[in-house]
Amino acid sequence: MALLPQGSAVPSALVALMVFRAPAWACLLCFTSHKERVRICQIFAGIEGPELEKCEEAFAVAFKGLLDTEINYDERSHLHDAFTQMTHSLQEIATAQGSFKVAFPDAAEKMRKVITQLKEVRACIPPCGLQEVARRFHCRGCYSTVCDLPLDCPVQDLTVIRGHQAKFSCTVNFQLPKEEITYSWKFAGGVRTQDVSYFQDLPRARGYLARIRPVQPAHRGTFSCVIQHDQLLLARLYFFLNVTGAPPRGETELQVSFREVLRWAPREAEMIIEPWRPSLGELLARPEALTLSNQCLLAAVAALASASATLVVCQVITNIGEDIRKSEHSYFAGGNRK
């Protein structure tokens, strides 16, 4: 088999299909180049001839078991490094006049073991969101996929008595990237909807926690929180706020009717979502709160607090003992003077 001239217009994927007839799209083709594979067989079997074709067939068949392999997307570089080491090792075996009939199956088995030691593919967590942490790489086709879930999360219903406060927590149950996460809030007055055409921006709202106080009938409607990573949409959360309770005393029927008419379009001064600081319990309730590092930090804080309390108690006891000794000394000194 003659070598293709350098710079050939034939796409490398097509060359792989012609040279490695069985099976075409295995991990072998994703993490090694056509040039590397042909070079290995040329060292084993010579530049051309029937033995070269047998070598190429044996190379592809040995890695047939890796055809349908799926790996954690973040592990691609590790697997690529392992295949690079494999090609160097095969070249050394070929140079030493080894047999490709033995070398290829051994190399494939080693790669299977490497794959089993990679980090597992994370499961998709319903019901919504673009979950990059669960992205997986498919050796059949050399492409990646993410969870087949909608970006729009189900609407959460919240009922608040008029004059009280409403709290919104824009959190998801899957892990978000650690950097460049932004939150923006929108409002659709008087309706319970996920239709983005109904929503208007609330520019004063920032962060994943927000609060409205005091809640008024004008606030009835759907609030939406949009989570983005570096301008990439990850999820949209929806909160339908239903306001209950009678109007304040002294409010006339005309005023009530007027408020109901304007409820769909509250004035900017009335629609203020302010940030709020969560309690410790609310922070710990977040999906990413109880990480190993955070658990260690909490344990260290607890140990430090315990040690501080022990030192305080010891100091108090020492001070009491010192006061008692001083009192006894004064008492006996007074008796001697008598």
Side-chain angles (χ1 to χ4, degrees), residues 5 14 20 29 31 53 55 58 72 76-77 107 145 156 161 169 175 178 189 241 246 262 272 274 290 301 333:
L14 182 59
F20 293 89
L29 299 192
F31 296 100
E53 292 186 8
C55 176
N72 187 311
R76 290 173 304 136
S77 60
T145 58
Q156 303 176 45
I161 299 174
S169 178
Q175 183 179 336
K178 295 181 180 180
L241 177 60
L262 295 182
I272 298 177
E274 60 182 21
L290 293 179
V301 171

Side-chain angles (χ1 to χ4, degrees), residues 87-164:
T87 57
H88 292 329
S89 176
L90 288 175
Q91 288 176 2
E92 292 175 356
I93 295 173
T95 303
Q97 304 298 315
S99 169
F100 64 81
K101 296 179 181 179
V102 176
F104 290 160
D106 287 348
E109 182 59 29
K110 290 178 180 178
M111 295 312 303
R112 289 190 189 94
K113 291 180 179 179
V114 169
I115 291 173
T116 60
Q117 295 173 358
L118 298 175
K119 288 190 298 185
E120 293 183 358
V121 178
R122 296 199 183 189
C124 298
I125 302 177
C128 59
L130 177 60
Q131 303 177 21
E132 282 292 337
V133 293
R135 183 179 286 275
R136 59 190 62 202
F137 181 84
H138 304 265
C139 281
R140 182 188 287 271
C142 306
Y143 68 98
S144 68
T145 58
V146 292
C147 305
D148 187 17
L149 295 172
L151 293 174
D152 292 317
C153 300
V155 180
Q156 303 176 45
D157 293 291
L158 179 64
T159 299
V160 177
I161 299 174
R162 177 177 184 163
H164 289 209

